[in-house]
Amino acid sequence: MSGSRVSAVLADTKAQGRSALVGYLPVGFPTVEGSIRAMEVMVENGVDIVEIGLPYTDPLMDGPVIQTAATRALENGVRVADVFKAGEAVSAAGAAALVMTYWNPVLRYGADAFARQLSASGVSGLITPDLVPDEAQDWITASDAHDLDRVFLVAPSSTDERLVSTTAASRGFVYATSLMGVTGARASVGEAASVLVERVRRVTDVPVCVGLGVSTGEQVHEVGQFADGVIVGSALVRCLLDAPDLDSGLQALGALTRELAAGCRR
Amino acid sequence: MSDNRIGRFGDYGGRYVPEALVAALEELDEQRSKAMHDPGFLGELAQLHRSYTGRPSIITEVPRFAEHCGGARVVLKREDLNHTGSHKINNVLGQALLTKRMGKRRVIAETGAGQHGVATATAAALLGLECVVYMGRVDTERQALNVARMRLLGAEVVPVDHGSRTLKDAVNEAFRDWVTHVDHTHYVLGTVTGPYPFPEMVRDFHRIIGVEARQQMLDEIGRLPDAVCACVGGGSNAMGIFHRFIDDPDVRLIGLEGGGEGVDSGRHASRFSGQATPGVLHGAFTYVLQDDDGQTIESHSVSAGLDYPSVGPEHAYLKDIGRAEYHPVTDDEAMEAFRLLAQTEGILPAIESSHALAGAMKVGRELGPDGLVLVNLSGRGDKDVDSAARWFGLLPDEEEQS
Ligand SMILES: Cc1ncc(COP(=O)(O)O)c(C=O)c1O
């Protein structure tokens, strides 16, 4: 049983009879300070867990919104170490944090060194969209050594066998991708998500959070009926992307976060 | 040559992909393993090679070109004579037949020079499959002829505007499409990289180059070559010709990378020059041009097909164990080799393949008049006529300027 802050939040929201709201933003967009401020705004407006994105040059699981933000962040000079700064700020703001990252930046940094820094900055662990447990021995060792969460993904295409092995390797929660595809807002959530969550529940007690395509309070409410947590990314990022300046972006972000948070509490 | 961890060549390879793709990769692995032992599948592929591609491709000795190679004898393996103009068709026909076997109706591909896209569009037309090809915007401009060819063949060509707008970004976009449509779509990856089983499968479809070439050298020249030269983008034509020679220790295997404006300029595509380091890109652990943060560094080469920051994992392994050597060839050197082959032998090579020819000029000088060099001429230069004519200032409106 993991003692991470993420686990504590999920236990707490469960006790309240509601799902947790997980909000994603990439560090460094529009600037490092701006992104940290934006994460704080999400926390102030009801996000329970912040997913801190580490921008990467080749994000093959991401749609155009997140990729555009990540590319701008890189152009603005964001560095891997900035993710630890964001982690400290989110913890200080009172929320649990996970870092969402493709594997190569961690590999390059050194899995153990990365884990040590994460732990020092108060982050609970990693979500790894292109690292499946089969290839994750280095990360499993490092996350064990530093008592960090390992959020692996499951998909509608995962076999029952893989649901068992992937959830067994996961800690904190399991990320169920609600559809086959990449990040980005969708008009409706669809059947696949609830079917997948049900399949996961049959093989594990690890909490299940659902992401990909969720963008409105109504969708959060819908998914919250069957998932332990609901993950929203592109819709939040879009608030900052579409805004003429940071202040109006933060206002839009705060308003959307409140709508989403209300969706969890209905 | 690889150890027995599944999908690894030494430490290299693996399968670093979203979970959503794992089921498709496992199905692909199972189907291609069965197919490679199925006389029906192998017979159908062999028949296509004979009656559609034009295999076996011939070998051609090029004595006038060899005068520029220290007097060593030089023999070309003529993959440029294949239908669609490059080696790429060998792999694509194999994967297109597998697509049918898996009951999928749509294929997608990434392409740099356009040759892989053209081959995929061709196979799709032949077998009645839907086809979408992703191509970096920069490459659609420098390889406009191939964009038109793909469209004439009935494929949809999607220009990619992210990142460096070249091959690497086309690969990202193809993966995104695949994650979304994997139930009815097969991703015809164009080279020996990507997640397992692609590196091994693509190599196996290209092995025929080396199998034929080795026998042709023995039958027609009377001995094995001292060196085999091939250009290395992702590395498929090189793996194809190298593989059958791996157990011939006296045959040097030499891969030539895009040296761009020179390795010291930072504008190059040389993954083995000492600046690249092992990392993960596009599903495989291999050599990657990357910075200290693990961000991919954009590559540069006059040749769209070599302009890629990563390389097939089996090459990384051959490099580490010392079985193959890899050298950069600059844009200038490649274009000079292009000009020489055209003017001494009447053969217009692809700019990619011109890197291998430039490699032969160097190794030929090392070997001297007793040397024998086999060059994989991976493609013909039709697609590059415009780029080459510009390079040499031969277009009417540029003649005054140059
Ligand atoms: C003629 C030709 N040769 C070589 C290449 C490079 O690919 P690879 O290294 O996989 O053979 C290409 C790629 O487009 C090509 O068109």
Side-chain angles (χ1 to χ4, degrees), chain B residues 85-88 111-116 190-192 231-238 304-306 350 352-353 378-380 383:
Chain B
S86 79
H87 69 291
K88 298 282 182 191
T111 198
Q115 290 304 100
H116 175 61
T191 190
V192 287
C231 67
V232 182
S236 66
N237 86 87
L306 305 187
E352 288 76 16
S353 316
S378 57
R380 60 179 172 247
K383 70 182 171 63

mmCIF file of all heavy atoms in Angstrom, chain B residues 85-88 111-116 190-192 231-238 304-306 350 352-353 378-380 383, ligand 1:
data_model
loop_
_atom_site.group_PDB
_atom_site.id
_atom_site.type_symbol
_atom_site.label_atom_id
_atom_site.label_comp_id
_atom_site.label_asym_id
_atom_site.label_seq_id
_atom_site.Cartn_x
_atom_site.Cartn_y
_atom_site.Cartn_z
ATOM 1 N N GLY B 85 11.496 2.515 -58.054
ATOM 2 C CA GLY B 85 12.758 3.245 -58.053
ATOM 3 C C GLY B 85 13.630 3.163 -56.827
ATOM 4 O O GLY B 85 14.600 3.913 -56.713
ATOM 5 N N SER B 86 13.317 2.264 -55.896
ATOM 6 C CA SER B 86 14.222 2.118 -54.752
ATOM 7 C C SER B 86 14.016 0.761 -54.092
ATOM 8 O O SER B 86 13.123 0.000 -54.470
ATOM 9 C CB SER B 86 13.974 3.222 -53.710
ATOM 10 O OG SER B 86 12.835 2.908 -52.927
ATOM 11 N N HIS B 87 14.872 0.504 -53.093
ATOM 12 C CA HIS B 87 14.755 -0.739 -52.322
ATOM 13 C C HIS B 87 13.464 -0.809 -51.516
ATOM 14 O O HIS B 87 13.057 -1.880 -51.090
ATOM 15 C CB HIS B 87 15.948 -0.854 -51.373
ATOM 16 C CG HIS B 87 15.919 0.155 -50.254
ATOM 17 N ND1 HIS B 87 16.106 1.516 -50.458
ATOM 18 C CD2 HIS B 87 15.693 0.012 -48.928
ATOM 19 C CE1 HIS B 87 16.010 2.143 -49.308
ATOM 20 N NE2 HIS B 87 15.761 1.263 -48.356
ATOM 21 N N LYS B 88 12.834 0.334 -51.274
ATOM 22 C CA LYS B 88 11.714 0.383 -50.317
ATOM 23 C C LYS B 88 10.604 -0.616 -50.656
ATOM 24 O O LYS B 88 9.912 -1.114 -49.768
ATOM 25 C CB LYS B 88 11.128 1.796 -50.258
ATOM 26 C CG LYS B 88 12.108 2.861 -49.764
ATOM 27 C CD LYS B 88 12.279 2.845 -48.272
ATOM 28 C CE LYS B 88 13.233 3.942 -47.786
ATOM 29 N NZ LYS B 88 13.601 3.787 -46.373
ATOM 30 N N THR B 111 7.026 9.271 -44.726
ATOM 31 C CA THR B 111 8.050 9.251 -45.760
ATOM 32 C C THR B 111 8.896 10.509 -45.694
ATOM 33 O O THR B 111 8.415 11.570 -45.297
ATOM 34 C CB THR B 111 7.414 9.063 -47.152
ATOM 35 O OG1 THR B 111 8.404 8.635 -48.073
ATOM 36 C CG2 THR B 111 6.772 10.342 -47.668
ATOM 37 N N GLY B 112 10.176 10.365 -46.036
ATOM 38 C CA GLY B 112 11.084 11.509 -46.056
ATOM 39 C C GLY B 112 11.337 11.885 -47.496
ATOM 40 O O GLY B 112 10.826 12.881 -48.017
ATOM 41 N N ALA B 113 12.097 11.052 -48.176
ATOM 42 C CA ALA B 113 12.396 11.300 -49.593
ATOM 43 C C ALA B 113 11.171 11.064 -50.462
ATOM 44 O O ALA B 113 11.133 11.460 -51.617
ATOM 45 C CB ALA B 113 13.533 10.398 -50.035
ATOM 46 N N GLY B 114 10.189 10.381 -49.921
ATOM 47 C CA GLY B 114 9.003 10.086 -50.704
ATOM 48 C C GLY B 114 9.025 8.689 -51.299
ATOM 49 O O GLY B 114 7.992 8.180 -51.720
ATOM 50 N N GLN B 115 10.190 8.043 -51.317
ATOM 51 C CA GLN B 115 10.271 6.724 -51.939
ATOM 52 C C GLN B 115 9.466 5.678 -51.168
ATOM 53 O O GLN B 115 8.822 4.827 -51.760
ATOM 54 C CB GLN B 115 11.727 6.254 -52.045
ATOM 55 C CG GLN B 115 12.540 7.027 -53.057
ATOM 56 C CD GLN B 115 11.940 7.002 -54.445
ATOM 57 O OE1 GLN B 115 11.296 7.958 -54.856
ATOM 58 N NE2 GLN B 115 12.125 5.913 -55.162
ATOM 59 N N HIS B 116 9.529 5.754 -49.852
ATOM 60 C CA HIS B 116 8.751 4.803 -49.070
ATOM 61 C C HIS B 116 7.255 5.070 -49.230
ATOM 62 O O HIS B 116 6.454 4.145 -49.311
ATOM 63 C CB HIS B 116 9.163 4.844 -47.598
ATOM 64 C CG HIS B 116 8.312 3.961 -46.736
ATOM 65 N ND1 HIS B 116 8.242 2.593 -46.936
ATOM 66 C CD2 HIS B 116 7.471 4.244 -45.705
ATOM 67 C CE1 HIS B 116 7.391 2.074 -46.068
ATOM 68 N NE2 HIS B 116 6.908 3.044 -45.309
ATOM 69 N N GLY B 190 8.744 2.458 -42.518
ATOM 70 C CA GLY B 190 9.576 2.396 -43.707
ATOM 71 C C GLY B 190 11.012 2.011 -43.498
ATOM 72 O O GLY B 190 11.774 1.951 -44.455
ATOM 73 N N THR B 191 11.414 1.775 -42.270
ATOM 74 C CA THR B 191 12.823 1.457 -42.087
ATOM 75 C C THR B 191 13.005 0.544 -40.877
ATOM 76 O O THR B 191 12.013 0.160 -40.247
ATOM 77 C CB THR B 191 13.660 2.750 -41.994
ATOM 78 O OG1 THR B 191 15.049 2.403 -42.051
ATOM 79 C CG2 THR B 191 13.365 3.541 -40.726
ATOM 80 N N VAL B 192 14.278 0.217 -40.582
ATOM 81 C CA VAL B 192 14.542 -0.798 -39.557
ATOM 82 C C VAL B 192 14.581 -0.216 -38.156
ATOM 83 O O VAL B 192 15.426 -0.586 -37.349
ATOM 84 C CB VAL B 192 15.860 -1.546 -39.839
ATOM 85 C CG1 VAL B 192 15.699 -2.483 -41.016
ATOM 86 C CG2 VAL B 192 16.999 -0.555 -40.104
ATOM 87 N N CYS B 231 24.189 3.619 -47.737
ATOM 88 C CA CYS B 231 23.791 4.796 -46.976
ATOM 89 C C CYS B 231 22.877 4.369 -45.827
ATOM 90 O O CYS B 231 22.224 3.333 -45.901
ATOM 91 C CB CYS B 231 23.102 5.815 -47.876
ATOM 92 S SG CYS B 231 21.504 5.274 -48.531
ATOM 93 N N VAL B 232 22.872 5.190 -44.763
ATOM 94 C CA VAL B 232 22.069 4.856 -43.590
ATOM 95 C C VAL B 232 21.210 6.047 -43.183
ATOM 96 O O VAL B 232 21.712 7.046 -42.646
ATOM 97 C CB VAL B 232 22.957 4.451 -42.392
ATOM 98 C CG1 VAL B 232 22.080 4.056 -41.197
ATOM 99 C CG2 VAL B 232 23.873 3.305 -42.750
ATOM 100 N N GLY B 233 19.906 5.936 -43.474
ATOM 101 C CA GLY B 233 18.949 6.884 -42.923
ATOM 102 C C GLY B 233 18.455 6.221 -41.646
ATOM 103 O O GLY B 233 19.105 6.237 -40.604
ATOM 104 N N GLY B 234 17.319 5.572 -41.735
ATOM 105 C CA GLY B 234 16.918 4.658 -40.661
ATOM 106 C C GLY B 234 17.778 3.406 -40.704
ATOM 107 O O GLY B 234 18.052 2.780 -39.685
ATOM 108 N N GLY B 235 18.180 3.056 -41.899
ATOM 109 C CA GLY B 235 19.117 1.950 -42.048
ATOM 110 C C GLY B 235 18.596 0.722 -42.760
ATOM 111 O O GLY B 235 19.222 -0.338 -42.676
ATOM 112 N N SER B 236 17.482 0.831 -43.495
ATOM 113 C CA SER B 236 16.889 -0.397 -44.040
ATOM 114 C C SER B 236 17.658 -0.964 -45.224
ATOM 115 O O SER B 236 17.873 -2.171 -45.301
ATOM 116 C CB SER B 236 15.426 -0.167 -44.414
ATOM 117 O OG SER B 236 15.270 0.745 -45.475
ATOM 118 N N ASN B 237 18.097 -0.087 -46.160
ATOM 119 C CA ASN B 237 18.824 -0.666 -47.295
ATOM 120 C C ASN B 237 20.163 -1.223 -46.822
ATOM 121 O O ASN B 237 20.621 -2.258 -47.298
ATOM 122 C CB ASN B 237 18.950 0.347 -48.445
ATOM 123 C CG ASN B 237 20.142 1.273 -48.318
ATOM 124 O OD1 ASN B 237 21.238 0.953 -48.763
ATOM 125 N ND2 ASN B 237 19.945 2.428 -47.686
ATOM 126 N N ALA B 238 20.772 -0.547 -45.852
ATOM 127 C CA ALA B 238 22.051 -1.013 -45.322
ATOM 128 C C ALA B 238 21.883 -2.356 -44.593
ATOM 129 O O ALA B 238 22.635 -3.299 -44.830
ATOM 130 C CB ALA B 238 22.637 0.037 -44.376
ATOM 131 N N ALA B 304 16.725 14.045 -48.189
ATOM 132 C CA ALA B 304 15.563 13.918 -47.302
ATOM 133 C C ALA B 304 15.507 12.539 -46.647
ATOM 134 O O ALA B 304 15.091 12.394 -45.505
ATOM 135 C CB ALA B 304 14.287 14.167 -48.102
ATOM 136 N N GLY B 305 15.973 11.511 -47.364
ATOM 137 C CA GLY B 305 15.887 10.149 -46.831
ATOM 138 C C GLY B 305 16.889 9.860 -45.729
ATOM 139 O O GLY B 305 16.763 8.857 -45.012
ATOM 140 N N LEU B 306 17.895 10.706 -45.578
ATOM 141 C CA LEU B 306 18.893 10.484 -44.515
ATOM 142 C C LEU B 306 18.717 11.476 -43.374
ATOM 143 O O LEU B 306 19.435 11.433 -42.381
ATOM 144 C CB LEU B 306 20.310 10.611 -45.087
ATOM 145 C CG LEU B 306 20.667 9.720 -46.279
ATOM 146 C CD1 LEU B 306 22.156 9.845 -46.608
ATOM 147 C CD2 LEU B 306 20.315 8.258 -46.029
ATOM 148 N N ALA B 350 20.008 8.152 -56.603
ATOM 149 C CA ALA B 350 19.327 8.966 -55.594
ATOM 150 C C ALA B 350 20.396 9.698 -54.775
ATOM 151 O O ALA B 350 21.526 9.205 -54.636
ATOM 152 C CB ALA B 350 18.496 8.078 -54.669
ATOM 153 N N GLU B 352 20.426 9.990 -51.642
ATOM 154 C CA GLU B 352 20.726 9.085 -50.522
ATOM 155 C C GLU B 352 21.865 8.155 -50.911
ATOM 156 O O GLU B 352 22.900 8.067 -50.252
ATOM 157 C CB GLU B 352 19.495 8.239 -50.154
ATOM 158 C CG GLU B 352 18.361 8.987 -49.458
ATOM 159 C CD GLU B 352 17.548 9.846 -50.417
ATOM 160 O OE1 GLU B 352 17.646 9.650 -51.646
ATOM 161 O OE2 GLU B 352 16.818 10.737 -49.933
ATOM 162 N N SER B 353 21.660 7.453 -52.033
ATOM 163 C CA SER B 353 22.633 6.461 -52.477
ATOM 164 C C SER B 353 23.976 7.102 -52.820
ATOM 165 O O SER B 353 25.019 6.442 -52.743
ATOM 166 C CB SER B 353 22.099 5.731 -53.710
ATOM 167 O OG SER B 353 20.735 5.393 -53.541
ATOM 168 N N SER B 378 20.731 2.238 -53.578
ATOM 169 C CA SER B 378 19.401 2.008 -52.996
ATOM 170 C C SER B 378 18.270 2.620 -53.816
ATOM 171 O O SER B 378 17.127 2.193 -53.704
ATOM 172 C CB SER B 378 19.358 2.559 -51.572
ATOM 173 O OG SER B 378 19.698 3.933 -51.572
ATOM 174 N N GLY B 379 18.595 3.615 -54.651
ATOM 175 C CA GLY B 379 17.515 4.224 -55.422
ATOM 176 C C GLY B 379 18.036 5.046 -56.578
ATOM 177 O O GLY B 379 19.211 5.405 -56.623
ATOM 178 N N ARG B 380 17.137 5.328 -57.512
ATOM 179 C CA ARG B 380 17.537 6.149 -58.656
ATOM 180 C C ARG B 380 17.181 7.608 -58.420
ATOM 181 O O ARG B 380 16.373 7.933 -57.558
ATOM 182 C CB ARG B 380 16.911 5.612 -59.944
ATOM 183 C CG ARG B 380 15.404 5.577 -59.971
ATOM 184 C CD ARG B 380 14.914 5.038 -61.330
ATOM 185 N NE ARG B 380 13.490 4.812 -61.354
ATOM 186 C CZ ARG B 380 12.918 3.598 -61.443
ATOM 187 N NH1 ARG B 380 13.652 2.508 -61.486
ATOM 188 N NH2 ARG B 380 11.605 3.501 -61.489
ATOM 189 N N LYS B 383 13.627 11.395 -58.628
ATOM 190 C CA LYS B 383 12.995 12.300 -57.668
ATOM 191 C C LYS B 383 13.898 13.479 -57.332
ATOM 192 O O LYS B 383 13.437 14.489 -56.803
ATOM 193 C CB LYS B 383 12.644 11.538 -56.389
ATOM 194 C CG LYS B 383 13.894 11.135 -55.596
ATOM 195 C CD LYS B 383 13.589 10.328 -54.351
ATOM 196 C CE LYS B 383 14.853 9.771 -53.707
ATOM 197 N NZ LYS B 383 15.806 10.764 -53.226
HETATM 198 C C1 LIG C 1 16.754 5.719 -52.257
HETATM 199 C C2 LIG C 1 16.799 5.729 -50.779
HETATM 200 N N1 LIG C 1 17.876 5.243 -50.135
HETATM 201 C C3 LIG C 1 17.963 5.253 -48.795
HETATM 202 C C4 LIG C 1 16.970 5.781 -48.003
HETATM 203 C C5 LIG C 1 17.179 5.818 -46.523
HETATM 204 O O1 LIG C 1 16.473 4.853 -45.825
HETATM 205 P P1 LIG C 1 17.167 3.566 -45.228
HETATM 206 O O2 LIG C 1 18.346 4.013 -44.459
HETATM 207 O O3 LIG C 1 16.114 2.964 -44.377
HETATM 208 O O4 LIG C 1 17.538 2.694 -46.357
HETATM 209 C C6 LIG C 1 15.819 6.288 -48.618
HETATM 210 C C7 LIG C 1 14.728 6.830 -47.793
HETATM 211 O O5 LIG C 1 13.818 7.454 -48.211
HETATM 212 C C8 LIG C 1 15.734 6.251 -50.044
HETATM 213 O O6 LIG C 1 14.671 6.755 -50.679
#
